[in-house]
Amino acid sequence: MTENGIGAEEPSEGTASSLLGQVLRIADAEQRIAAFHEVTGRPVVNLAIADNVLPYPSLKSHVLDKARVEMDDVRYKSPPYGLKDLRKHVTDLLHETFSPRIDADSDVCATAGVSGALESLAFALLHTGALEPGDGVMVPVPCWQGFRWCFEQRPGLRLVPVAPKIEFELTLQDVKDAYDREPRPPKLLVLTNPQNPLGVNFSRQLLNDICTWAMTKPDLHLVTDEIYAHSQIEGADPPFTTVLSLDLYEAHTDRIHLVWGLGKDFGLSGFRVGFLISKSKAVQDAVKGGGGRSPMAWFGPLDSLKNAYIRLLFPDGSQKPEWYPRALMQEYKKLLTQAHRQIAKELETQEIPYYGEGEPGRNPAQFFLLDLRPYLQRVPPAGSIAFPNLFPEIDDAEARLAAWIAGEANVQILPGQTQMCPQPGYFRLCYTAYPPDQVCEAVRAIRAALNKLPHTA
């Protein structure tokens, strides 16, 4: 059996449909793609997955090759929200990125991934009475598909999409309109900055306007998912602005929360380390335990083996310029900039349009959102495409175009409607999932596949 619970043997013709059925039961589109290729063994360049290989060489030599797990590391001794010294060392970097006023002991809780941090926050707000089951969670769309499970599956909240009137150009009025349309006022607003799948930063003005309005609603909490905070190319426009840098933050620390983790900036997406940063005593008491209750972090803990590895990743010595996490993020910025420029040039050479094309610095955070709408009407019927439809829940033409590209180019890109894109035809390409030369080769393969499409479906 594979880690997805599906047999890894080469499927016979008689079992292929059964295996596909099992794959299609996987809710998350990115995991579904990975599972399909795992069970079939079909070679593919998977640019649908939000992964980051750019820091790998450095991580291998500085951390992984030196890793040594001691017997003490496997004992049942560390708190589920992370050892104090570990949180302190990570906070040394967060001071530079987000705010020097973050207190490692009182404000930071480690969890098993950012999704765990989001769910822990939801449960904490439910526990404190700030939220009730069925309350709305406003999320600008398109967005990361995992928000639905973080807030709906166990906490019992309800996702409220905020769709911009002008495609992909979110405004304060869009947020206000979504709030006003709800018969029961939403209690939580979630912003992703930089954005996924657009890969753009919020402008400081827009972020400030939205947060200022949100704080006029006394029952509304705000959480910013800033997991891509360090994924910033040189000359990013607009530059990254953290919510913790806004003037209004100090007056509303009980209702403004932030999540960040190691999965994207540090290329450790399978490592599952996230952090909830909140100055709300009620939230921290709920997450870390208090009043005779076990900590919410208990159900998504930072285990002792992760503590052992993070000690290598975040060593003592943050006062030194060559401190490894700082040096790695500086190196990563250069690598990301080079990759961005190389893949953007290849997309333009292959005449594959993307959101932000022609605007240097517009897509700093690991993604290009390709605009393939002109090809939707040229996709052959499903029966003539030699690749299964892995996305039966979205627009049929978009799903068939994804299947066509996967079958003809051996490249997977993520259909936009899996991330609640307002109309079909957009596809997210993660340009950090493979080395730049390999991504460029995949872009050329996508163009070749598009060229094979008939001019009439």
Side-chain angles (χ1 to χ4, degrees):
M1 299 291 282
T2 72
E3 63 183 24
N4 297 295
I6 302 170
E9 297 83 6
E10 183 71 21
S12 66
E13 186 175 348
T15 62
S17 60
S18 174
L19 287 175
L20 180 60
Q22 293 180 61
V23 167
L24 293 180
R25 285 200 293 271
I26 299 172
D28 183 84
E30 291 184 57
Q31 294 178 16
R32 193 185 309 158
I33 292 169
F36 175 80
H37 291 286
E38 182 182 359
V39 301
T40 62
R42 182 177 180 130
V44 67
V45 177
N46 186 1
L47 302 182
I49 193 166
D51 216 341
N52 177 17
V53 304
L54 300 182
Y56 280 9
S58 179
L59 286 172
K60 185 177 185 304
S61 61
H62 286 84
V63 178
L64 300 180
D65 285 350
K66 297 179 181 179
R68 177 184 173 86
V69 177
E70 306 291 346
M71 287 305 299
D72 206 37
D73 292 322
V74 299
R75 292 178 59 205
Y76 188 52
K77 65 169 189 173
S78 60
Y81 46 85
L83 291 168
K84 184 175 180 178
D85 67 330
L86 176 148
R87 287 182 284 122
K88 191 270 178 190
H89 292 161
V90 172
T91 301
D92 287 342
L93 180 66
L94 302 185
H95 284 159
E96 301 175 12
T97 307
F98 299 125
S99 169
R101 293 184 292 273
I102 298 173
D103 185 278
D105 195 30
S106 62
D107 303 346
V108 180
C109 175
T111 62
V114 168
S115 55
L118 290 167
E119 190 187 64
S120 293
L121 174 64
F123 277 126
L125 294 175
L126 285 163
H127 168 66
T128 62
L131 295 178
E132 296 179 358
D135 275 340
V137 179
M138 294 196 299
V139 181
V141 295
C143 68
W144 173 55
Q145 66 276 9
F147 285 136
R148 186 174 300 281
W149 304 299
C150 290
F151 296 115
E152 291 188 344
Q153 188 158 307
R154 292 202 298 179
L157 304 172
R158 178 176 51 85
L159 216 64
V160 177
V162 179
K165 291 184 181 66
I166 301 175
E167 199 165 35
F168 306 136
E169 300 296 329
L170 182 71
T171 67
L172 172 59
Q173 192 60 49
D174 295 324
V175 180
K176 289 180 176 179
D177 290 346
Y179 183 90
D180 291 339
R181 279 194 297 268
E182 290 295 303
R184 177 176 168 181
K187 296 289 186 65
L188 185 61
L189 171 61
V190 180
L191 302 177
T192 307
N193 182 34
Q195 215 269 2
N196 171 10
L198 300 179
V200 300
N201 294 322
F202 274 78
S203 72
R204 187 178 190 88
Q205 185 65 57
L206 178 59
L207 184 64
N208 187 71
D209 288 349
I210 292 175
C211 294
T212 299
W213 168 84
M215 292 301 101
T216 67
K217 307 298 180 184
D219 295 328
L220 187 62
H221 282 249
L222 171 74
V223 56
T224 57
D225 180 348
E226 301 185 9
I227 191 172
Y228 295 99
H230 298 92
S231 294
Q232 300 293 318
I233 63 172
E234 295 167 1
D237 185 21
F240 171 69
T241 301
T242 173
V243 70
L244 302 191
S245 71
L246 300 180
D247 292 339
L248 62 87
Y249 172 65
E250 287 301 321
H252 301 284
T253 55
D254 58 330
R255 290 195 289 136
I256 297 178
H257 321 280
L258 183 149
V259 293
W260 177 79
L262 303 181
K264 308 308 179 185
D265 294 335
F266 280 79
L268 295 168
S269 56
F271 200 53
R272 311 300 300 147
V273 176
F275 298 91
L276 168 62
I277 301 160
S278 176
K279 288 187 174 291
S280 166
K281 186 177 185 305
V283 166
Q284 287 291 347
D285 283 350
V287 175
K288 294 179 179 177
R293 294 175 65 94
S294 188
M296 299 291 181
W298 179 271
F299 303 100
L302 193 76
D303 61 72
S304 57
L305 290 178
K306 289 190 177 74
N307 280 299
Y309 277 85
I310 295 173
R311 278 200 302 271
L312 288 171
L313 185 57
F314 287 85
D316 288 323
S318 60
Q319 71 281 1
K320 301 176 182 177
E322 66 274 14
W323 185 51
Y324 181 63
R326 183 187 300 117
L328 177 60
M329 289 300 94
Q330 291 170 349
E331 179 186 0
Y332 170 49
K333 185 173 186 175
K334 295 177 182 177
L335 294 171
L336 187 69
T337 301
Q338 294 167 2
H340 177 278
R341 290 173 179 169
Q342 186 175 345
I343 283 88
K345 182 178 180 181
E346 191 64 51
L347 286 169
E348 290 158 15
T349 298
Q350 300 302 326
E351 298 182 335
I352 298 177
Y354 59 89
Y355 176 73
E357 184 177 4
E359 302 176 64
R362 185 73 164 136
N363 311 88
Q366 301 188 2
F367 307 117
F368 289 106
L369 192 67
L370 310 184
D371 182 359
L372 303 184
R373 289 175 297 171
Y375 299 94
L376 287 175
Q377 303 309 314
R378 296 172 54 185
V379 185
S384 61
I385 299 177
F387 198 89
N389 177 5
L390 298 182
F391 314 101
E393 73 275 24
I394 67 172
D395 177 85
D396 182 62
E398 181 173 280
R400 285 186 286 122
L401 183 53
W404 176 268
I405 292 170
E408 298 294 325
N410 284 327
V411 177
Q412 287 281 8
I413 49 179
L414 190 66
Q417 289 204 317
T418 65
Q419 299 195 295
M420 290 186 270
C421 268
Q423 62 172 290
Y426 291 97
F427 292 79
R428 191 191 74 180
L429 181 152
C430 180
Y431 68 88
T432 59
Y434 289 78
D437 287 347
Q438 197 168 352
V439 177
C440 286
E441 184 179 347
V443 168
R444 291 190 288 272
I446 292 172
R447 165 44 65 196
L450 295 175
N451 289 344
K452 293 179 183 177
L453 286 168
H455 286 283
T456 56

